[in-house]
Amino acid sequence: GDIGLCGGSADRTARLIDSIGGTVLALGDQAYPAGSTDDYARCYDPVWGRFKARTRTVPGNHDYMTALAQPYYDYFGAQAGPAGRGYYSYDLGGWHLVALNSNVAYDAASPQVTWLKADLAASSAPCVLAYWHHPRFSSGPHDSEPALRAVWAALYAAGADVVLVAHDHLYERFAPQDPDGKPDVTRGIRQFTAGTGGSDLYAMVNRKANSEALLSSHGVLTLTLRDGGYDWTFVPVSGAGDRGSASCH
């Protein structure tokens, strides 16, 4: 996430993806500063645009700085889900993936969370990954977003395994947690923040409980979604990375 800043480091993270196969999940704020048609043409397409055919995306707050994020939906088309909605789901191997929109209503009674609960109930996949832009938990300057509890609770109730977010321009990995941020090794969801796609980096402000890894580096997070579990590697442009493995619930 937080990728296409003209003059930023998106060209360096794109070169990493050149040698990494699979589906690309773009976690929002793809084109700075305002997600305009010109921003996409100048600051995103020349660098990450070559992965467009294999990208499944969610919008960020900068995408919504242009009315209704229309250039975002125009640029990505069907890969952004149903037109103008910003949330959708699909299966990838043995996993069910849910792409959500944290720029529209996500309270417990919202259409999005109502859809989410029904979507999760209809899936028989043994492993579930969800992704959106704003972090439920964060040690960065944007801080944690308590209002996302309803989304986390719906995922937790359905036995989801992994959440990916961005917004804070850093990499952070949390231990599995319940909707209130309490550690839960049995049913907890592991969150990765990967706002490291190219925009200016942030530093830690307040290290949160259960934060297991925190890096201020440009890079990409790779996930191998295998039967019954997953492996992760944060691949930095330079410096130290992060890696590990876990099982699904």
Side-chain angles (χ1 to χ4, degrees):
D2 304 281
I3 300 164
L5 175 68
C6 280
S9 294
D11 59 331
R12 297 196 293 167
T13 56
R15 287 198 293 271
L16 295 175
I17 298 177
D18 283 333
S19 61
I20 300 171
T23 302
V24 175
L25 306 184
L27 303 177
D29 286 0
Q30 271 67 267
Y32 285 88
S36 68
T37 299
D38 185 61
D39 293 336
Y40 271 95
R42 295 189 308 109
C43 303
Y44 183 85
D45 194 65
V47 283
W48 279 48
R50 60 185 179 269
F51 316 121
K52 185 177 178 181
R54 58 183 176 116
T55 297
R56 302 304 301 269
T57 182
V58 292
N61 54 294
H62 280 268
D63 296 304
Y64 272 81
M65 288 182 179
T66 299
L68 302 176
Q70 194 59 52
Y72 162 85
Y73 291 109
D74 290 342
Y75 180 82
F76 287 107
Q79 286 144 281
R85 191 173 75 173
Y87 54 91
Y88 58 99
S89 69
Y90 55 100
D91 290 332
L92 194 61
W95 284 65
H96 186 60
L97 271 64
V98 183
L100 298 174
N101 185 353
S102 58
N103 301 278
V104 299
Y106 47 74
D107 58 276
S110 66
Q112 180 169 207
V113 172
T114 300
W115 170 88
L116 172 62
K117 291 177 180 178
D119 178 83
L120 293 169
S123 174
S124 59
C127 302
V128 175
L129 179 152
Y131 59 108
W132 62 85
H133 185 64
H134 297 81
R136 169 68 183 92
F137 306 102
S138 181
S139 301
H142 286 308
D143 208 350
S144 304
E145 180 48 76
L148 281 161
R149 187 189 184 282
V151 173
W152 199 277
L155 292 164
Y156 180 83
D161 302 283
V162 177
V163 161
L164 307 180
V165 294
H167 196 46
D168 270 326
H169 303 177
L170 45 73
Y171 169 79
E172 187 165 22
R173 170 174 54 84
F174 283 89
Q177 300 179 95
D178 73 6
D180 297 310
K182 297 176 182 176
D184 185 341
V185 296
T186 303
R187 290 186 56 84
I189 305 170
R190 186 186 302 280
Q191 179 193 289
F192 296 89
T193 303
T196 55
S199 187
D200 296 336
L201 294 169
Y202 295 168
M204 178 189 74
V205 172
N206 179 22
R207 190 75 178 261
K208 295 297 189 294
N210 308 314
S211 172
E212 294 184 323
L214 183 60
L215 299 168
S216 183
S217 305
H218 289 112
V220 298
L221 172 64
T222 69
L223 291 169
T224 301
L225 305 179
R226 49 183 169 78
D227 290 344
Y230 60 99
D231 310 313
W232 73 83
T233 304
F234 178 70
V235 183
V237 168
S238 62
D242 180 49
R243 66 175 59 240
S245 298
S247 299
C248 297
H249 300 321

